[in-house]
Amino acid sequence: MPVATPDKLLSLIAPGAQVVVRDEEWLVRAIEPTSADGVKVRCVGTSTLVRDAEATFLTKLDNVAPLRPEETRLTADLSPRFRASRLYLEAVLRKTPVPANQTGLALADRHLLKRLDYQRRAAHKAIAGLRPRLLIADAVGLGKTLEVGLILAELIRRGRGDRILVVTPRHILEQFQHELWTRFAIPLVRLDSDGIAKVRREIPANRNPFSHYRRAIISIDTLKNAGRYRHHLEGIHWDAVVIDECHNLVNRGTLNNQLARVLAPRTEALLLTSATPHNGDPESFAELIRLLDPTAIADPTNIDAADIDHLYVRRHKAHDEVAAEVRADWADRLQPQPLLIEASDAENAMFAELANTWIHPASGTAPTSGKGRTLFPWTLFKAALSSHRALGETIVARRNTLAKRDTPDEGTNTAAIATEDAALQRLGELNAAIDDTSASKLTALIEQLREIGVDPRSNTRVVVFSERIATLDWLAATVPKALKLKDSDVRVLHGGMADVRQMDVISEFGLAESGVKLLLTGDMASEGVNLHRQCHHLIHFDLPWSLITIE
């Protein structure tokens, strides 16, 4: 039988009171009398198991027991010079929010970072607004993570940063977490694939995993699964949400964009960061700004900078604010050294077939069929410019797709499919004639690595970029043997790896004692990853087609 609340306690139940119900502590939000079930008490959880969970109790069905101040038990402070009491009072003072009308930075000189006024201006701009919603679009190397840390620390000091969610690409989870903890003493629980599994083991199945920790950092690749996590995200409100590398959110209909649209209206403060927020399409940029303020841009084709000035900061290394403070600390960037490689006979034969049949066919039409037929020749071309291994993988994947479509179903053009398959077979045969000895770029890469001093006894470290995983795997199998490197001297990093493994590789490459000499990585490492600490040379094995990626 349910235990009802004694009538003598009903007068003590009021909004703001703390109560104990079902062995958990709750904060009363509102009360409402009912005709038959006593008083309806709306609460939010404060103890560990029910923290931030909302619930409604009826006093005729539950024993809602108020926590009475007069029943507080006093304990003598026996610590030397009342140390425990003074620490407690200091903690209370630190937790006392700064008044809202105080827009100056309250913690400006209490962090482990060099004082740079241009970084503080970004924090002040966010704090001065009624709602801290800001796009931080500073160029690479200016400290966007530090500006985020300054803003979050100020929000916490003002009592407006209790619940924080940071969303980043999975390969920089640990890096972002490390910066906020070591420089600003902001602890974020890392919810990578292992972290979420651990939370699910610790809490009941019907509990929201995002209410278990008040401050968390999670990969956008994990969180964007709308079907798996959306109902949890819709049931929780954040004080501050940070989305790093936000240029990945601009395309409507993508999972990243859907995730941002769920989070944006459910947070008071929203911070977006990207060194490349504008891809040249005003519609895409408007989509980003509308996450901060849906009413800021009325016409995406006619964006007035003055209308959105309060929503973004954008500085580069030559900006007056930046150059005055740190320009002298930066070495001039060296000019890249392009190496012109002469193709082998086998490669020339393959490229001739690719050009004459696919890129510039004499008939004017490439032998492609089905969806994407106009772009597929360039997909082959991009793969060939990376490596013959990447091209071979692309050809096999396309022929497998054609084999599945080559059925007598109505509407299938079997003749066009047969023509394309035959052309792919010819290209594949020429491509198969290329081996490690006739792959000219591989030979040039090995010679270049030897020239800059990569060998088993040296400490020279090199990052080699390629856009194709097949190319990375091929280089990992051939280059170490040619240079007589051990397996422990080489690491591969790409987006197909598990998030925990990605972070381990990045961390290992950044340690002087790890001994890793060669990092073979895809273009995922161009977004926010600090690879400079122990790196001496950067080589593009194949040039990215995006100028932004090269930059």
Side-chain angles (χ1 to χ4, degrees):
M1 291 293 292
V3 180
T5 305
D7 292 340
K8 63 181 181 180
L9 297 180
L10 294 180
S11 60
L12 302 177
I13 302 173
Q18 286 189 300
V19 297
V20 176
V21 188
R22 302 181 187 180
D23 299 324
E24 298 294 338
E25 294 184 9
W26 307 80
L27 178 67
V28 178
R29 287 280 183 84
I31 61 174
E32 179 183 346
T34 65
S35 58
D37 296 318
V39 177
K40 182 190 296 184
V41 184
R42 301 184 186 276
C43 304
V44 60
T46 58
S47 56
T48 302
L49 187 60
V50 296
R51 180 171 295 161
D52 294 325
E54 296 184 357
T56 300
F57 302 105
L58 298 169
T59 56
K60 287 291 183 66
L61 302 178
D62 282 293
N63 183 10
V64 182
L67 293 176
R68 307 176 68 175
E70 60 267 26
E71 295 177 355
T72 301
R73 289 181 300 173
L74 300 178
T75 303
D77 183 2
L78 303 179
S79 60
R81 300 183 63 184
F82 306 105
R83 181 183 302 162
S85 297
R86 290 190 291 115
L87 286 174
Y88 172 76
L89 293 174
E90 176 69 15
V92 171
L93 291 174
R94 287 176 179 268
K95 291 180 180 179
T96 303
V98 174
N101 59 358
Q102 182 178 325
T103 58
L105 301 186
L107 302 173
D109 299 312
R110 300 186 184 183
H111 305 303
L112 189 62
L113 68 161
K114 183 179 179 180
R115 178 182 178 129
L116 297 173
D117 287 338
Y118 76 87
Q119 292 179 348
R120 297 185 177 203
R121 288 190 185 96
H124 185 271
K125 190 168 190 175
I127 298 300
L130 293 177
R131 300 180 74 196
R133 300 175 83 85
L134 192 67
L135 167 63
I136 302 176
D138 286 343
V140 174
L142 297 191
K144 291 185 292 296
T145 303
L146 302 183
E147 292 169 1
V148 167
L150 283 169
I151 295 171
L152 293 180
E154 290 294 329
L155 290 176
I156 293 171
R157 184 64 185 88
R158 285 162 166 75
R160 301 168 64 185
D162 188 39
R163 296 196 54 80
I164 296 174
L165 177 67
V166 177
V167 183
T168 74
R170 59 186 175 184
H171 51 280
I172 58 176
L173 271 180
E174 186 172 4
Q175 177 180 300
F176 208 109
Q177 180 192 33
H178 180 266
E179 290 289 318
L180 290 187
W181 169 240
T182 57
R183 296 183 183 276
F184 303 97
I186 300 177
L188 299 175
V189 177
R190 190 170 71 217
L191 295 181
D192 51 23
S193 54
D194 292 344
I196 290 183
K198 180 180 178 181
V199 172
R200 289 192 172 278
R201 289 194 299 267
E202 293 180 352
I203 65 175
N206 61 345
R207 290 280 289 120
N208 189 332
F210 300 108
S211 66
H212 191 67
Y213 295 111
R214 308 186 74 80
R215 295 169 185 166
I217 181 170
I218 189 168
S219 154
I220 191 170
D221 306 280
T222 300
L223 202 59
K224 69 184 181 183
N225 190 327
R228 188 173 183 182
Y229 296 115
R230 180 162 185 161
H231 64 290
H232 291 307
L233 296 174
E234 290 176 343
I236 196 167
H237 189 88
W238 303 91
D239 293 322
V241 169
V242 180
I243 304 181
D244 194 28
E245 304 296 343
C246 63
H247 53 267
N248 296 315
L249 311 175
V250 298
N251 296 323
R252 280 206 173 197
T254 62
L255 293 178
N256 288 344
N257 183 263
Q258 292 177 21
L259 169 64
R261 286 174 165 271
V262 171
L263 292 175
R266 291 173 174 81
T267 178
E268 184 69 15
L270 178 62
L271 305 177
L272 307 178
T273 70
S274 173
T276 54
H278 204 308
N279 60 5
D281 180 11
E283 285 279 357
S284 297
F285 182 68
E287 179 68 18
L288 205 57
I289 295 298
R290 283 169 177 162
L291 293 174
L292 301 170
D293 183 355
T295 65
I297 297 178
D299 181 9
T301 63
N302 185 25
I303 301 177
D304 188 346
D307 293 338
I308 60 173
D309 180 69
H310 62 291
L311 294 174
Y312 77 97
V313 290
R314 168 67 172 165
R315 282 82 56 93
H316 47 80
K317 292 182 179 180
H319 192 280
D320 292 341
E321 290 183 8
V322 179
E325 294 187 283
V326 295
R327 189 169 188 173
D329 297 336
W330 282 322
D332 293 334
R333 179 183 295 182
L334 298 178
Q335 289 296 319
Q337 301 177 7
L339 300 180
L340 190 62
I341 310 300
E342 184 175 351
S344 64
D345 293 340
E347 289 174 322
N348 279 326
M350 179 272 292
F351 276 111
E353 172 67 17
L354 185 60
N356 297 331
T357 303
W358 297 89
I359 305 301
H360 302 294
S363 63
T365 305
T368 52
S369 61
K371 294 181 178 178
R373 55 182 176 269
T374 57
L375 292 177
F376 181 66
W378 296 101
T379 301
L380 290 173
F381 188 53
K382 288 179 66 176
L385 290 178
S386 178
S387 70
H388 68 285
R389 291 294 185 93
L391 177 59
E393 182 183 77
T394 303
I395 292 173
V396 170
R398 180 67 173 184
R399 295 190 70 187
N400 290 338
T401 301
L402 293 177
K404 295 177 183 178
R405 285 167 35 198
D406 189 10
T407 59
D409 294 341
E410 182 179 354
T412 301
N413 189 340
T414 55
I417 292 176
T419 301
E420 180 178 359
D421 188 67
L424 286 171
Q425 184 177 359
R426 290 194 304 272
L427 182 62
E429 291 171 353
L430 292 170
N431 187 65
I434 305 172
D435 57 19
D436 294 347
T437 59
S438 57
S440 56
K441 285 206 303 178
L442 174 64
T443 303
L445 174 64
I446 293 172
E447 292 176 355
Q448 182 67 20
L449 291 174
R450 284 175 177 156
E451 182 179 328
I452 61 181
V454 178
D455 60 57
R457 296 175 298 279
S458 75
N459 293 321
T460 302
R461 295 195 177 194
V462 183
V463 173
V464 178
F465 274 106
S466 173
E467 288 196 316
R468 304 300 292 257
I469 295 178
T471 301
L472 294 173
D473 292 339
W474 171 54
L475 294 178
T478 55
V479 174
K481 292 180 181 179
L483 297 175
K484 298 180 180 180
L485 299 177
K486 297 182 293 185
D487 291 342
S488 59
D489 293 337
V490 183
R491 290 292 182 268
V492 178
L493 178 66
H494 55 74
M497 300 167 59
D499 51 7
V500 178
R501 179 56 183 158
Q502 289 180 9
M503 289 182 285
D504 288 344
V505 170
I506 293 170
S507 176
E508 193 174 6
F509 186 74
L511 297 175
E513 62 270 17
S514 69
V516 178
K517 297 176 174 61
L518 190 61
L519 177 64
L520 307 170
T521 179
D523 59 357
M524 57 152 278
S526 67
E527 291 188 340
V529 181
N530 290 334
L531 298 176
H532 62 282
R533 294 190 180 95
Q534 299 295 332
C535 182
H536 307 100
H537 299 274
L538 168 63
I539 298 176
H540 281 278
F541 188 75
D542 48 276
L543 285 180
W545 282 40
S546 167
L547 294 177
I548 291 176
T549 302
I550 296 176
E551 177 69 17

